[in-house]
Amino acid sequence: MTACGRLALPKLTETLGFCSPRLASFSRIDRLVPCMNKLFSAVLGAAILWVDSSSGQTVINSAPYTISAAGNYVVGSNLTYSSSTGGAIVIQHHHVTLDLGGHYIFNPVASNSSVGVYVQNAENITIRNGIIVGFNYGVYFNYLGGTKLNSGNIVSDLKLSDNLDGIFLVGATVSKVTNNQITNSNGVGGTGIYIAGGSNVAGGNIINGFSAGIATFGNSYLFENTISNCNTGLFMQGSDKYRFNTTFSCNIPFSGGTVLTSDNN
């Protein structure tokens, strides 16, 4: 039994003890109604405690915050990180799901070198569902040496605004970056999505206002991205593959890569 379950059951037992002699007499409505109200509240409270326990989520309500254990984490409120260095949320363990809960992580410091969500030598990381604004890097997966384990990661459904660089995956393999909106209105360069590693996928992203919309460095697949107002839309290597992407108002729409013309390529 969970800790919350152990907390809830004594309260429910106490309420049943209060109600049992009263439930035997239905002739006195004034006794029955308070009892039923008390019983309903006890059962509801027990259910809420049980659900909170079984969900297994850790709520993040302040920054900076370091994740050093596997599990499910959810941001419970909008976060402001007022530092020019470091990371607002730093992930240092494998098998982590971070749900921003639709909230934002914001850095108000101009020309900072900080990171919104910083993943250090970890694999099987999922980051999703929120807004990251004002950092040097919105999301950064970094390989810091030692065993190379940045694989199996997912970055999806984020809105990244006015970060110098959007989503960076360094040394990442077998990972995907999908359905993100990445914009930079500052006009100072940077890259929307940067992927250095093999067997990665970037698809369904909307990117605007960078020096390079998507930059990849071998053996990645890019599909159905929409890129605008970038110097180079897709900057790829010969081993990168792409299909069904849309670029407009880019000086160089495509550089490198191999276009797929059928499912057999």
Side-chain angles (χ1 to χ4, degrees):
M1 183 183 296
T2 63
C4 285
R6 289 193 294 270
L7 290 171
L9 285 180
K11 183 66 176 178
L12 186 56
T13 302
E14 174 189 340
T15 303
L16 289 172
F18 168 83
C19 287
S20 57
R22 291 162 175 79
L23 292 173
S25 175
F26 288 94
S27 61
R28 291 289 304 276
I29 193 67
D30 59 326
R31 294 182 181 180
L32 181 61
V33 171
C35 170
M36 295 306 294
N37 287 339
K38 189 175 182 69
L39 182 61
F40 176 77
S41 297
V43 171
L44 181 61
I48 291 172
L49 282 170
W50 193 274
V51 169
D52 286 346
S53 172
S54 63
S55 68
Q57 289 185 330
T58 299
V59 180
I60 300 173
N61 281 316
S62 62
Y65 189 95
T66 298
I67 295 174
S68 56
N72 297 319
Y73 295 79
V74 60
V75 174
S77 59
N78 294 326
L79 304 179
T80 298
Y81 179 73
S82 300
S83 175
S84 60
T85 60
I89 297 178
V90 179
I91 300 175
Q92 297 178 332
H93 203 283
H94 318 307
H95 315 302
V96 167
T97 295
L98 175 62
D99 189 334
L100 301 189
H103 297 103
Y104 66 71
I105 306 175
F106 172 59
N107 192 332
V109 179
S111 301
N112 66 77
S113 59
S114 63
V115 183
V117 179
Y118 189 17
V119 182
Q120 300 174 341
N121 267 12
E123 65 177 346
N124 290 332
I125 307 298
T126 296
I127 303 168
R128 66 190 183 204
N129 185 29
I131 304 167
I132 301 175
V133 181
F135 292 85
N136 187 66
Y137 298 95
V139 175
Y140 194 174
F141 285 74
N142 198 11
Y143 165 54
L144 301 175
T147 304
K148 195 171 184 179
L149 291 172
N150 283 348
S151 65
N153 307 294
I154 300 172
V155 183
S156 67
D157 301 299
L158 297 178
K159 295 181 180 179
L160 295 102
S161 176
D162 293 340
N163 306 285
L164 178 59
D165 294 292
I167 298 170
F168 257 53
L169 278 72
V170 177
T173 60
V174 197
S175 299
K176 62 181 181 178
V177 180
T178 59
N179 301 323
N180 301 285
Q181 298 179 29
I182 309 170
T183 61
N184 183 6
S185 63
N186 295 321
V188 293
T191 304
I193 296 174
Y194 177 103
I195 301 175
S199 302
N200 298 297
V201 171
N205 301 286
I206 300 173
I207 302 170
N208 178 275
F210 292 91
S211 179
I214 300 177
T216 56
F217 293 87
N219 298 310
S220 290
Y221 175 45
L222 313 179
F223 72 100
E224 295 181 356
N225 299 285
T226 301
I227 302 170
S228 60
N229 297 304
C230 294
N231 183 55
T232 303
L234 298 177
F235 178 86
M236 300 167 288
Q237 308 304 308
S239 59
D240 291 313
K241 306 294 191 296
Y242 66 97
R243 193 179 188 191
F244 301 138
N245 297 278
T246 300
T247 63
F248 58 95
S249 299
C250 295
N251 293 328
I252 306 171
F254 303 92
S255 175
T258 301
V259 63
L260 297 182
T261 57
S262 75
D263 292 333
N264 296 322
N265 288 115

